[in-house]
Structures are given as C-alpha cells and as structure tokens.
C-alpha cells in the first residue's frame, strides 16, 4: 500500500465560496477569492504558495462561478488543476466528496480559498500523523494580544475512509455534518493547532488585519513580483515600475506601492498597507494601515485609517474614512449623491484637526474658520430656501395667517420655536457636528413633493415641503445627533401650517355640532329654556346662530400651539409632556363650550349688533388666559400627585451671648 501521507499522494481541494450578497458591498460585487494580495488574486496566491511546497494536484470547487474565477487567475501549466462548478450548493464536505477519486487511497488536504498565508504542509502532515485520526481539523493559535479564542483556520486533512460518511447528494458541511457523523460513528476527528495564523478571512476587516500582519511579519513577499523591487534602507518597503513619489511625501513601512502609482507632495503613508496599481493619492492626504486597490483616486486632504478602497473608486478631497469599506457606487446617481455628501463634509470639516470631527458644536464654534463655515453654510442654504419658496408658498402662508381666524396663531410658531431653541441652547451646543448624507435625501424628497404640489395646485404639499426642507438642512449640515435634539422643535414647526382642505372639512362639521350640543346642555343645566334647531339655539326670544367659525377649530389650533410651546421649554418627563399635548383637545373643546354658553347668555341682555360683535370677539380672546391657567393647573396637579414633597433641611445656628 502506498504511503497516504506522501507529498505525491496528496490532492489539494480549494473551496471557493460564493459572493456575499448584501452584507459587504465589495464582496457582493467581487468574490472574496479574487481579492488581491500583492497584485494577485488570493486564490492564485494560495495555490502558488502550496505549489512551492511540492503539491501538484489541485481541485477548485466553485459555486457556479468557475468561469469567473478561472478567467481571473493565471496558474502554472505544470500543475494538475481540475475545476468543479456546482450548480446546486453542496457544502464543504459535499465538495470534498466530489473532488475525491473513487476507490483511491489519496490523502485530501482541504483549504478555504480566502487564505493569505497558507501553513507549512509538512507541519500539517506531521500533526495529522500524530493525531492518528481519519480526519484532522486545524485551528489558528490564540492571539494573546487581544485574548481571541481558537478560530477555525479553514484547513482540513482527511483520508478517503471518511468519505463514506458523506451523502452522495444534497448539502453537507464539514463542521455541522461530517464531524458530528464521525463522532457518532466513534471515529472522532483530531483537533490540531498551527504554529502561526494562516490569515483566513470572511470579512473585509479580517482581510485588512490578516494582510497587515502578513506584511509586518514578512510572510507576503512582493519582491517575487517581476515589476516590484525593494526601496529604502529598511528593506520592508517595495515599489513597482513607474511609481512617482513626491520628495516631501513620507512613507513609513511596511508599504507596497505597485506600478504606476502616484503619491503627491506632503502625503503620508503609514504601514502596513498596499497602494495598488495606478492609484493617485492627493496632496496632504494621510493613509494609515489601509489598502487601496488598483486605479483608485484619493483626493487632496483626505484621511484614511484602517479602510479598504475598492477598484476605480474616487474619494473626493477632504473626505474622512475611519474603518470604512469604500465600495464602488452601483450607479452614477448614487456616486454623485455620495460625492456631494463627502463634499459637504469637506466644506464643514476641512483644514480642521481630526479631533474636531467628534467635538460638540460649542467647541467647533471656537475655531474661527469652522465657525464661519458652519454659519455661512447654514445661512446660505436657508437664504436659498427662503428665496425659492417666497412665491407662492410663503406669500400664500402669510395671507392665511392674516385672514384666517383658525390659523392666525401659526404666525407665532416660528418665533416660539426660535425662543425654545434659545432656551435649550446648551443641549444643542453639546451636540457633535457630523454632516449626514440623509439630509440631502430629505431635501430632494421635499423638492419633489413641492413640484407635485405646484403641478397639481396642491398648496398643502408645498407648505409641507417647506418644513421638510428646514429639517433636511439641519440634518445635512449638523448631523443626526444634533437633529435628534432638534426633532421636537422640528415637529412643532408643523403647527404653523393650515390643515389641508379635505382634512379641515372632515373635522369642522363634527366640531360645530359638538359646540352646539354642548352649549345647549350647559344652558339647560343653568336653568334656561333652550330649543335647538340644527346649529341654531333659541333662548326665549333670542336666536343664537352657531356659525362655522364658532366650531372651536381656532381654539384647538391655538391651544395646540400653547401646549406644544410649554412642552418644548419644560423639563418634565416624556409621559407628562404627552399627557399635556393630548389634553389640549379636551381643554379646547371645554373653553369653546364656555365661550358659547357665556355668549348666548350675553345675547339675551345685549341687543345692539355692535355690542354683540364686540362681546363675541372678546369672549374668544378671554379663553386664552383660561386655557393657560388650565395647563398650569394640570402641571401643578401632576407634580403634586407624582412627585414626592421636597424636604427642606433647617439649619440651626447657635450663638453665644457676649453679655
């Protein structure tokens, strides 16, 4: 019988996984097995390193992507390579069965394709012999620096005898299927530990970490490439052909700069890292422990830290990438939108030290350039908003405030909102400034809504777009943390808008009927002989018509404004504020009933038309102090019922009489 552990009797099985749909944009577009390592796809790098140790037979198992993988790699003709393209997923164990030669006594050595530093084959074979098991599973060593537990290295060795435990059809995994089957058959697998990590990865962060560790340890050898040569005195920096590095640029290795790359003046590259072919790095840009793939362009004044930049990706000047996988945008529209977002960040954050990015607004305003940038940016956007919405939106809204009794209180809303922000200014000043791309989406959606309103002559849509634009500007310039604190004020601004006509018509008639019925009930309770005819009240010889203007909508909107303003400036709990807002409805209805009752009684004594009009208007104004009093009473009752009494500590002072 042949020695199954002989190097000539080993068949290598490379498991190439599918694309990672959804979780990582780069892996979704580009299979991880083709991610580059020193200018080569990782699967090609793996096969070459194994072939350098004497292995010659390879089977590459792909998930319906054999054509893409085969066209992207260049392998020596001397190797015996077979490709298996699976139409249906077979799992890791099923792939091993498909790769094996029936009836052969060969030893199968299995590797996952995404591996940067394959292990020493002789070390693996020796451990497998010592384990004396049909199958061996190998783990990476424990990382003592961050106490990471043992992690599967993606390296397996198995004899042909274990293949009988794998079903001929269907999905079957090594860890979840084959190993439990071996344990059930009392043929446990051997667990071995490698002397060094193999750099297997499933996420882009693991890829970044593994490749950085390999560069630091010299496990990746760029000098083997035909167009790369070592430069510098340290021997750990490499540069390809036609590389242009400005004299004032600084590179601190280990860094590989591939052919055709250009690094402009005052740029700083801190390794470990790789700058791909034909990459352009702008002036004053800092790249720290990052990998930039071929044909990417990094603008001026950028800061990249532990980030991965996709092929042909353009990063606009002033952008900050910290722990980011910058994938290539799917289309021109998404790329343009992202570019605009990064440009806004550049305008608000460029030429400012990095610690300002997470500093609160108060600290940023101490920096003169950033202060005027923020003020100018906000002022410019609001000025453009004011001019573009002046006619017809703002003009029509002004007319509504002046001529409609129901919505006249809307004129006060912007001023009350400004005062509320001033009262809560300390909270706003503690918010960090970090412009959000979502604000641009909100702005564009608001403009689309306005165009809809203009085209279909729907004024409510235009006015709604105005308030949404205000929120979009705040979110765009200052970011989510600031906007969350601005959200109550933003919601309060909607109270300055009149109801759409359809909504108003749905609530005015029920309010008018309720006002009439409640006034009749109150008058009868007070002993008056009252007859109701629709919305007309007869008290003896006096006729009181409850017009549509007396339905209580005016009080309802006014009391909502009052309650909302009290909620903004008060420091009560959330549930108390909610109770206060909800109570605005019964308070408005109660005050309107009181006003109609008193007005009806007054009309029985006053018969002058002018006096009746004067009393009618005065009665409406008199309800405002009453409503405020009820709200204050409500706040006092909640404090009395739900808060413990304050304990006052009496200080006793002893004095000595000198007489």
């Amino acid at each position: 019988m042949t020695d199954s552990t002989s190097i000539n009797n080993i068949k290598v099985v490379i498991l190439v996984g599918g694309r990672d749909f959804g979780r990582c944009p780069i892996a979704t577009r580009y299979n991880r097995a083709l991610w580059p390592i020193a200018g080569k796809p990782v699967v090609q790098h793996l096969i070459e390193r194994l072939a350098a140790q004497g292995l010659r037979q390879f089977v590459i198992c792909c998930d319906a992507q054999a054509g893409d993988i085969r066209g992207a790699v260049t392998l020596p003709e001397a190797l015996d390579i077979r490709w298996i393209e699976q139409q249906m997923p077979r799992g890791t164990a099923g792939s091993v069965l498909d790769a094996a030669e029936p009836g052969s006594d060969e030893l199968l050595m299995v590797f996952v394709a995404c591996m940067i530093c394959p292990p020493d084959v002789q070390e693996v074979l020796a451990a497998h012999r010592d384990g004396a098991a049909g199958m061996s599973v190998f783990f990476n060593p424990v990382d003592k620096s961050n106490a990471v537990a043992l992690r599967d290295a993606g390296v397996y060795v198995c004899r042909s005898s274990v293949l009988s435990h794998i079903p001929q059809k269907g999905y079957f995994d090594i860890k979840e299927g084959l190993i439990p089957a071996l344990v059930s058959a009392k043929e446990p697998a051997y667990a071995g530990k490698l002397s060094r990590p193999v750099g297997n990865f499933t996420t882009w962060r693991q890829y970044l970490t593994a490749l950085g560790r390999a560069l630091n340890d010299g496990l990746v050898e760029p000098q083997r490439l035909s167009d790369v040569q070592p430069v510098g005195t340290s021997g750990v920096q490499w540069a390809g052909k036609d590389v242009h590095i400005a004299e004032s640029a600084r590179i601190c290795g280990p860094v590989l700069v591939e052919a055709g790359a250009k690094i402009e003046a005052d740029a700083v590259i801190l390794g470990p890292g790789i700058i791909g072919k034909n990459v352009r790095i702008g002036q004053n840009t800092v790249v720290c422990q990052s990998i930039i793939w071929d044909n990417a362009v990094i603008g001026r004044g950028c800061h990249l830290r532990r980030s991965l930049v996709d092929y042909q990706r353009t990063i606009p000047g002033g952008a900050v990438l910290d722990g980011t996988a910058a994938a290539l945008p799917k289309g021109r529209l998404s790329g343009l939108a992202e570019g605009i977002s990064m440009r806004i960040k550049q305008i608000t954050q460029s030429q400012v030290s990095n610690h300002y990015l997470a500093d609160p607004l108060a600290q940023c305003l101490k920096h003169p350039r950033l202060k005027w940038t923020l003020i100018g940016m906000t002022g410019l956007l609001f000025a453009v908003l004011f001019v573009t919405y002046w006619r017809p939106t703002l003009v029509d809204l002004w007319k509504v405030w002046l001529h409609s009794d129901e919505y006249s209180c809307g004129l006060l809303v912007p001023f009350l909102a400004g005062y509320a922000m001033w009262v809560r200014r300390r909270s706003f000043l503690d918010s960090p400034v970090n412009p959000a791309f979502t604000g641009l989406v909100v702005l564009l959606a608001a403009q689309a809504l306005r165009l809809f309103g203009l085209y279909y002559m729907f004024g409510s849509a235009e006015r709604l777009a105005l308030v949404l634009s205000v929120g979009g500007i705040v979110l765009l310039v200052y970011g989510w943390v600031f906007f969350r604190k601005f959200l109550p004020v933003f919601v309060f601004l909607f109270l300055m808008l009149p109801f759409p006509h359809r909504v108003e018509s749905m609530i005015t008639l029920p309010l008018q009927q309720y006002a009439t019925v409640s006034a009749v009930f109150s008058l009868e309770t007070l002993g008056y002989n009252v007859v109701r005819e629709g919305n007309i009240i007869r008290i003896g010889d006096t006729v009181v018509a409850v017009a549509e203007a007396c339905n209580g909508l005016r009080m309802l909107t006014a009391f909502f404004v009052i309650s909302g303003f009290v909620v903004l400036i008060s420091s009560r709990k959330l549930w108390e504020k909610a109770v206060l807002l909800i109570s605005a409805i019964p308070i408005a209805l109660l005050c309107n009933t009181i006003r109609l009752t008193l007005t009806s009684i007054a009309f029985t004594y006053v018969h002058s038309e002018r006096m009746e009009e004067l009393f009618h208007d005065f009665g409406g104004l008199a309800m405002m102090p009453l409503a405020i009093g009820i709200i204050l009473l409500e706040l006092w009752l909640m404090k009395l019922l739900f808060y413990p009494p304050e304990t006052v500590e009496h200080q006793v002072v002893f004095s000595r009489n000198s007489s």
Side-chain angles (χ1 to χ4, degrees):
M1 180 179 296
T2 60
D3 182 10
S4 63
T5 60
S6 172
I7 196 75
N8 297 322
N9 197 45
I10 295 176
K11 177 179 288 184
V12 178
V13 182
I14 307 293
L15 304 177
V16 179
R19 297 180 183 178
D20 186 2
F21 290 99
R23 291 179 295 179
C24 177
I26 297 180
T28 299
R29 187 180 65 88
Y30 206 63
N31 193 298
R32 282 186 294 257
L34 298 180
W35 288 12
I37 297 178
K40 297 180 181 180
V42 60
V43 64
Q44 177 179 337
H45 185 270
L46 171 63
I47 294 174
E48 289 180 352
R49 294 294 296 270
L50 293 176
Q53 300 184 58
L55 298 174
R56 289 293 179 266
Q57 299 183 62
F58 294 86
V59 179
I60 304 176
C61 301
C62 304
D63 184 10
Q65 297 177 26
D68 297 340
I69 304 297
R70 187 182 305 181
V73 299
T74 303
L75 299 174
E77 296 181 358
L79 300 180
D80 180 11
I81 297 179
R82 182 161 61 97
W83 296 81
I84 296 180
E85 182 175 356
Q86 301 167 346
Q87 299 300 325
M88 296 295 292
R90 285 282 283 141
T92 53
S95 298
V96 172
L97 178 64
D98 295 341
E101 189 74 25
S104 174
D105 192 26
E106 60 190 358
L107 187 68
L108 299 172
M109 188 172 289
V110 185
F111 298 89
V112 295
C114 300
M115 184 178 298
I116 294 176
C117 305
D120 184 358
V121 173
Q122 296 299 334
E123 175 191 352
V124 172
L125 291 177
H128 177 67
R129 284 194 297 265
D130 295 341
M135 182 175 184
S136 299
V137 181
F138 290 90
F139 295 86
N140 287 310
V142 177
D143 189 352
K144 297 180 180 180
S145 61
N146 52 14
V148 175
L150 284 173
R151 190 166 69 91
D152 183 12
V155 178
Y156 312 96
V157 180
C158 59
R159 296 190 177 96
S160 56
S161 59
V162 305
L163 300 180
S164 59
H165 299 280
I166 303 176
Q168 294 293 328
K169 295 182 180 180
Y171 182 90
F172 204 67
D173 188 70
I174 290 179
K175 291 182 289 186
E176 299 176 2
L178 180 57
I179 293 178
L182 292 175
V183 173
S184 299
K186 297 183 179 180
E187 299 179 13
Y190 168 73
K193 186 170 68 173
L194 300 173
S195 60
R196 59 174 175 80
V198 297
N200 56 314
F201 62 90
T202 55
T203 66
W204 70 266
R205 288 185 175 86
Q206 293 173 355
Y207 165 79
L208 204 68
T209 301
L211 191 49
R213 182 184 291 118
L215 286 171
N216 269 327
D217 298 341
L219 300 178
V220 174
E221 301 175 348
Q223 61 266 29
R224 289 176 176 263
L225 302 178
S226 59
D227 60 344
V228 173
Q229 56 185 354
V231 298
T233 57
S234 62
V236 292
Q237 299 177 7
W238 305 273
K241 295 180 180 179
D242 301 324
V243 168
H244 174 75
I245 302 176
E247 292 184 1
S248 58
R250 295 292 179 266
I251 300 179
C252 205
V255 176
L256 166 62
V257 182
E258 298 189 40
K262 182 179 180 181
I263 302 176
E264 297 182 1
D266 299 322
V268 178
I269 314 295
L270 304 176
I274 295 179
I275 310 300
K277 296 179 180 179
N278 302 314
V279 169
R280 297 293 183 269
I281 297 180
Q283 187 176 0
N284 294 317
T285 288
V286 177
V287 179
C288 178
Q289 299 179 358
S290 299
I291 297 176
I292 304 174
W293 288 350
D294 298 352
N295 301 308
V297 178
I298 313 298
R300 295 186 176 186
C302 295
H303 188 102
L304 279 66
R305 179 181 177 273
R306 292 195 57 78
S307 296
L308 175 64
V309 180
D310 200 352
Y311 288 103
Q312 302 178 357
R313 183 69 161 83
T314 298
I315 305 297
V320 177
L321 302 181
D322 191 353
T324 303
L328 186 68
K330 295 182 179 179
R332 292 185 177 180
L333 182 60
S334 58
L336 176 63
E338 185 177 2
I340 294 174
S341 173
M342 288 189 174
R343 182 64 63 183
I344 291 170
K345 289 188 177 183
Q346 174 196 1
I347 293 174
T348 57
Q349 298 174 347
S350 62
Q351 299 178 349
V352 182
S353 300
N354 293 332
H355 67 271
Y356 279 102
L357 300 179
D359 273 0
L361 179 60
Q363 185 67 25
C364 291
L365 292 179
K366 294 179 181 179
H367 192 278
R369 181 168 296 178
L370 183 58
K371 171 184 177 181
W372 290 112
T373 300
L374 289 173
I375 294 176
M377 186 76 177
T378 308
L380 177 62
L381 290 175
F382 276 112
V384 172
L385 180 69
F386 183 82
V387 171
T388 54
Y389 277 80
W390 173 253
R391 190 176 296 273
T393 307
L394 289 174
V395 173
D396 292 344
L397 192 59
W398 179 262
K399 292 178 180 178
V400 170
W401 289 340
L402 293 183
H403 300 99
S404 175
D405 292 337
E406 287 80 4
Y407 305 109
S408 57
C409 59
L411 180 61
L412 300 175
V413 171
F415 301 99
L416 296 177
Y419 178 77
M421 291 193 66
W422 173 256
V423 171
R424 305 172 62 176
R425 62 188 182 277
R426 294 186 180 276
S427 175
F428 289 114
L429 290 174
D430 290 337
S431 303
V433 177
N434 190 12
F437 165 69
T438 315
L440 181 61
V441 178
V442 175
L443 270 177
L444 294 177
Q447 308 324 306
L449 181 62
R450 190 195 182 201
L451 290 176
F452 170 81
L454 290 172
Y455 185 80
Y456 290 100
M457 302 182 67
F458 189 31
S460 296
E462 301 175 44
R463 293 186 281 266
L464 181 61
L466 173 63
V467 181
L468 290 177
S469 298
V470 173
I473 290 174
V474 173
L475 180 59
L476 182 64
V477 178
Y478 297 97
W480 276 107
V481 178
F482 186 96
F483 183 78
R484 290 189 188 98
K485 297 180 180 180
F486 175 73
L487 185 61
V489 180
F490 175 66
V491 175
F492 181 70
L493 289 176
F494 284 95
L495 296 179
M496 71 180 182
L497 306 180
F499 290 127
H501 293 298
R502 181 173 297 182
V503 176
E504 183 178 345
S505 61
M506 291 174 58
I507 63 177
T508 51
L509 184 59
L511 285 177
Q512 186 178 8
Q513 293 176 350
Y514 173 81
T516 305
V517 171
S518 61
V520 169
F521 176 80
S522 300
L523 290 170
E524 289 178 342
T525 303
L526 294 175
Y528 288 90
N529 185 14
V530 184
V531 177
R532 177 195 171 203
E533 298 176 357
N535 291 323
I536 297 177
I537 302 175
R538 294 184 179 273
I539 309 176
D541 296 333
T542 303
V543 178
V544 180
V546 181
E548 186 177 349
C550 300
N551 55 30
L553 182 59
R554 178 183 181 182
M555 289 190 178
L556 189 62
T557 55
F559 293 170
F560 259 118
V561 171
I562 296 173
S563 300
F565 178 67
V566 173
V567 165
L568 285 179
I569 63 175
S570 65
S571 57
R572 293 299 184 96
K573 295 180 180 179
L574 185 60
W575 70 267
E576 294 180 273
K577 295 181 178 182
V579 169
L580 194 62
L581 281 176
I582 296 174
S583 65
I585 299 176
I587 292 175
L589 297 178
L590 174 63
C591 290
N592 192 49
T593 300
I594 295 174
R595 182 182 69 88
L596 283 176
T597 303
L598 296 179
T599 301
S600 300
I601 295 174
F603 281 7
T604 60
Y605 297 99
V606 178
H607 300 288
S608 171
E609 183 176 348
R610 181 173 179 81
M611 292 297 297
E612 290 179 355
E613 182 179 356
L614 180 63
F615 192 87
H616 178 273
D617 295 338
F618 177 77
L621 294 175
M623 294 300 104
M624 300 301 292
L626 177 61
I628 295 175
I630 295 176
I631 291 175
L632 294 177
L633 177 63
E634 187 177 3
L635 291 173
W636 178 77
L637 286 175
M638 285 191 292
K639 183 178 180 180
L640 183 66
L641 294 174
F642 300 104
Y643 287 87
E646 297 181 357
T647 58
V648 180
E649 296 182 358
H650 298 280
Q651 184 177 9
V652 181
V653 179
F654 295 92
S655 63
R656 177 179 296 177
N657 193 343
S658 58
S659 59

